[in-house]
Amino acid sequence: MLSKTIQEALNKQVAMEAASSQAYLAMASWAEIQAGLDGVTEFFYQQSDEERMHMLKLIRYINERGGFAVVPPLEQPIITFQSLQRVFEEFLKHEVQVSESINALVGLSLEEMDFATHNFLQWYVSEQIEEENLARTLNDKLELVGDDKSGIYLFDRDIMVHRNATSKGE
Ligand code: OFO
């Protein structure tokens, strides 16, 4: 059975994953319509799906451990961006916040001596290493590209190859 403290903290994480899914969906829509970048569009559609899966995994775990998973309300994410660079800066910022939140949860699970939750969270710890790594690599690449149109073309063309190589796509 989950303690009230752990249950609340896990439900906060549910809301955070849901917000990530929404944020990345908005980035996909921006890339598709405002920027016309097919690779980036696909990248964020998949990224958004992944975040929903992260949310679902938490929901199932909370309920399985005798808690009650709370489906959070939807807030509108940022829907428009000044540049492709801004999109990827937001992406990285987001992932860093998620990692911090997961780390805090891991700490809490130890404090509460909830070893099952501690064990469950290890998957998220590894996932965040991959996600942050991917976001940093893409930001570095974009920094090199700058405003160069052919560079952006190549970035867009290769982004999915890069994603599949860096992340397991979970
Ligand atoms: Fe679930 O936060 Fe990104 O991966």
Side-chain angles (χ1 to χ4, degrees):
M1 187 88 181
L2 293 173
S3 73
K4 197 169 174 285
T5 318
I6 292 281
Q7 191 180 162
E8 274 171 14
L10 288 171
N11 270 318
K12 268 195 195 147
Q13 193 62 37
V14 165
M16 200 165 195
E17 303 291 347
S20 303
S21 182
Q22 288 288 98
Y24 300 158
L25 195 54
M27 288 175 185
S29 185
W30 179 86
E32 186 163 33
I33 301 304
Q34 308 292 335
L37 296 166
D38 295 348
V40 175
T41 300
E42 188 53 32
F43 176 87
F44 281 113
Y45 275 135
Q46 288 194 20
Q47 206 63 34
S48 172
D49 274 353
E50 250 189 47
E51 299 300 348
R52 185 172 190 282
M53 190 270 283
H54 296 172
M55 174 189 75
L56 213 52
K57 217 174 157 82
L58 280 156
I59 287 180
R60 285 177 178 271
Y61 177 76
I62 296 168
N63 287 348
E64 197 180 283
R65 293 280 321 279
F68 176 51
V70 180
V71 175
L74 295 179
E75 227 178 82
Q76 187 171 48
I78 302 174
I79 57 165
T80 186
F81 302 88
Q82 277 165 1
S83 66
L84 192 60
Q85 275 82 358
R86 287 291 302 123
V87 172
F88 281 87
E89 278 165 26
E90 271 303 314
F91 175 44
L92 176 59
K93 201 172 103 192
H94 216 91
E95 289 302 324
V96 169
Q97 280 169 359
V98 172
S99 298
E100 283 168 359
S101 171
I102 293 289
N103 288 341
L105 257 173
V106 171
L108 189 68
S109 69
L110 283 180
E111 254 172 54
E112 296 270 310
M113 299 219 289
D114 183 341
F115 301 116
T117 298
H118 183 265
N119 189 42
F120 167 77
L121 289 170
Q122 296 313 303
W123 183 87
Y124 287 85
V125 172
S126 334
E127 179 69 12
Q128 281 316 118
I129 295 172
E130 275 183 19
E131 294 291 312
E132 264 194 54
N133 182 20
L134 177 61
R136 278 186 220 287
T137 308
L138 293 172
N139 270 279
D140 289 349
K141 279 188 178 279
L142 274 178
E143 203 176 310
L144 284 176
V145 164
D147 290 336
D148 178 51
K149 285 213 163 40
S150 54
I152 289 182
Y153 170 82
L154 293 176
F155 178 87
D156 184 56
R157 194 196 63 180
D158 297 340
I159 185 169
M160 288 308 288
V161 178
H162 209 80
R163 181 182 197 272
N164 297 334
T166 317
S167 143
K168 290 195 296 290
E170 283 172 341

